[in-house]
Amino acid sequence: MKENYNRTLQACFVGYVVQAIVNNFVPLLFLTFQGTYEISLEKITLLVTFNFGLQLIIDLVSIGFVDRIGYRASMILAHLLAALGLILLTILPEVMSDPFVGLFLAVLVYAAGGGLLEVLVSPVVEACPTDNKEKAMSLLHSFYCWGHVGVVLVSTLFFTVFGISNWKILAVIWAIVPLCNAAVFTRVPMASLLEEGEKGMSMKELFSMKIFWVLMLMMLCAGASEQAVSQWASALAEKGFGFSKTVGDLAGPLSFAALMGCSRAFYGKFGDKINLERFMQWSAALCIVSYLMIAFIPIPALGFLGCALCGLSVGIMWPGTFSMASAAMKRGGTALFALLALAGDLGCSSGPTYVGMISSRFHDNLKTGIFAALVFPVLLIVGVEMISKLRKKA
């Protein structure tokens, strides 16, 4: 029986690779879109806003329909939307009078798939009868990091060998991944999050619980702590530490993602021997150290090391908060996971914005913006302590 559920876990791991594809492939093509379709960069960067904005909406809307149509149908739908969006990316800009509208519609389709995956994958893994759910959750989230690294490396290699003009072929190749995984989800066993006859909490019930709001704050801080550096890693490497643009574009985000994946894989391997709450607090403390290295150490190599260390430190924050939430609120159900995903995505969008706003106030000094972001890991440490106390009271 467990062997069968191992296939379910493996399909979920690939699901997070799919999400990494839809989030990280198109940004590699921004300059190509600008040159090919004569679209301004300002308009093109709106595609990222549309992508994550729709994912936020899906996080919220999914509460109403996932339980009705079931997790299997929802998971298959998410993968098909991701594949369709990638394929439409190669068709719609060519056939529509305004190429930007074509790109926009394609992004909306795959963003809907990505948003659904955000909501679905974690509870499906949580429902699987595994021996240590915290380990499985951390290992699951590491696959987003490996997917991110893989998308950048494979795409860069493809463009180098075959030329960036053949990007449409690569888009279709990437679309094969979600198509194949959708077929896998038609066959793997799916367990229920709740016991037979048990009903998940309503949003009203969740909102009335103090522990829920602490968990929401922790998810927001987890997303913000991660993306405050991740989204600015390339600019920091180039502008803050004086590396070339190529090194900045590749080494900055990739070292961050790789070490974040290592952190999650480490807990996925040894999590049964580690106290999750303590591990999260020590990780947040390391995050604070990494921010201080970026902000104050004038030696470029050590500042760059701070960026990489930040990836290592934030790895456990997102999956760890999911695990703490499912342990503290057994009947949370779909609503709990969807709202946590919403809080995390809000953190992912607000963290980099906060850093950018503070930086612009101090003459575009990114290091000052990163220093101001210390508030996120500090609040996470406080949140873990509050959860511990609330669970003891309960």
Side-chain angles (χ1 to χ4, degrees):
M1 187 177 197
K2 277 189 183 177
E3 186 60 38
N4 288 337
Y5 278 105
N6 282 339
R7 289 174 54 224
T8 309
L9 288 173
Q10 289 160 7
C12 287
F13 294 162
V14 176
Y16 258 147
V17 172
V18 170
Q19 198 184 22
I21 292 170
V22 301
N23 283 345
N24 297 294
F25 174 59
V26 168
L28 299 174
L29 298 168
F30 281 171
L31 293 178
T32 303
F33 292 159
Q34 182 191 26
T36 306
Y37 302 120
E38 297 181 351
I39 303 170
S40 70
L41 269 185
E42 185 181 359
K43 270 180 127 178
I44 287 171
T45 51
L46 280 175
L47 296 175
V48 175
T49 308
F50 293 142
N51 178 22
F52 287 106
L54 186 63
Q55 288 192 34
L56 283 170
I57 295 169
I58 294 293
D59 289 344
L60 197 56
V61 172
S62 63
I63 298 170
F65 72 83
V66 167
D67 285 331
R68 290 181 191 174
I69 70 173
Y71 273 82
R72 187 187 302 279
S74 299
M75 193 67 95
I76 293 169
L77 175 63
H79 282 82
L80 292 178
L81 286 171
L84 179 61
L86 288 166
I87 292 168
L88 288 176
L89 203 63
T90 69
I91 300 170
L92 293 183
E94 304 293 340
V95 300
M96 301 196 75
S97 56
D98 185 348
F100 176 75
V101 175
L103 290 172
F104 170 70
L105 293 174
V107 168
L108 287 189
V109 173
Y110 74 58
L116 263 179
L117 286 170
E118 182 83 75
V119 173
L120 296 168
V121 177
S122 292
V124 169
V125 168
E126 183 65 30
C128 289
T130 51
D131 293 329
N132 190 301
K133 293 184 185 296
E134 291 89 350
K135 285 175 61 177
M137 190 68 74
S138 186
L139 189 60
L140 165 73
H141 284 262
S142 75
F143 274 81
Y144 180 84
C145 306
W146 308 135
H148 182 180
V149 172
V151 167
V152 175
L153 289 180
V154 171
S155 299
T156 302
L157 182 63
F158 180 92
F159 297 148
T160 303
V161 175
F162 300 104
I164 200 158
S165 59
N166 288 310
W167 67 268
K168 291 180 184 178
I169 296 171
L170 185 59
V172 174
I173 291 170
W174 284 129
I176 293 171
V177 179
L179 282 174
C180 291
N181 213 38
V184 172
F185 269 107
T186 63
R187 304 173 64 89
V188 296
M190 304 279 280
S192 174
L193 255 181
L194 304 169
E195 299 291 333
E196 194 171 342
E198 195 176 38
K199 192 178 178 184
M201 288 182 178
S202 66
M203 288 175 67
K204 186 178 178 182
E205 284 179 279
L206 289 170
F207 290 169
S208 67
M209 300 177 72
K210 186 177 179 180
I211 197 167
F212 167 75
W213 291 108
V214 177
L215 287 163
M216 288 287 280
L217 175 66
M218 286 174 59
M219 276 303 293
L220 188 141
C221 290
S225 296
E226 177 184 317
Q227 295 299 320
V229 170
S230 177
Q231 290 293 307
W232 291 107
S234 178
L236 274 166
E238 186 184 348
K239 190 175 177 182
F241 308 131
F243 292 101
S244 70
K245 179 160 178 56
T246 304
V247 171
D249 287 347
L250 286 175
L254 286 187
S255 62
F256 183 95
L259 281 175
M260 185 163 71
C262 288
S263 169
R264 290 173 174 176
F266 173 81
Y267 192 84
K269 178 74 174 172
F270 302 106
D272 53 341
K273 303 182 178 101
I274 301 170
N275 180 292
L276 176 61
E277 293 177 0
R278 199 170 297 149
F279 189 63
M280 285 183 69
Q281 287 187 313
W282 279 109
S283 294
L286 180 61
C287 183
I288 291 169
V289 171
S290 72
Y291 282 12
L292 292 173
M293 287 176 69
I294 295 168
F296 293 114
I297 295 182
I299 303 168
L302 291 179
F304 190 77
L305 178 62
C307 286
L309 273 180
C310 184
L312 188 70
S313 69
V314 299
I316 193 59
M317 291 179 179
W318 189 293
T321 305
F322 265 124
S323 294
M324 288 177 70
S326 56
M329 308 177 80
K330 298 287 187 185
R331 291 192 308 109
T334 304
L336 174 64
F337 279 92
L339 290 169
L340 287 174
L342 175 68
D345 285 340
L346 277 173
C348 286
S349 58
S350 61
T353 304
Y354 171 76
V355 169
M357 287 172 61
I358 298 294
S359 300
S360 65
R361 288 284 183 92
F362 290 86
H363 311 291
D364 292 335
N365 189 330
L366 277 174
K367 293 185 176 184
T368 304
I370 296 297
F371 174 68
L374 280 173
V375 63
F376 300 123
V378 168
L379 283 174
L380 193 88
I381 292 172
V382 174
V384 173
E385 195 63 36
M386 288 178 71
I387 293 291
S388 181
K389 287 178 180 177
L390 288 168
R391 288 187 68 181
K392 282 176 185 174
K393 277 185 184 179

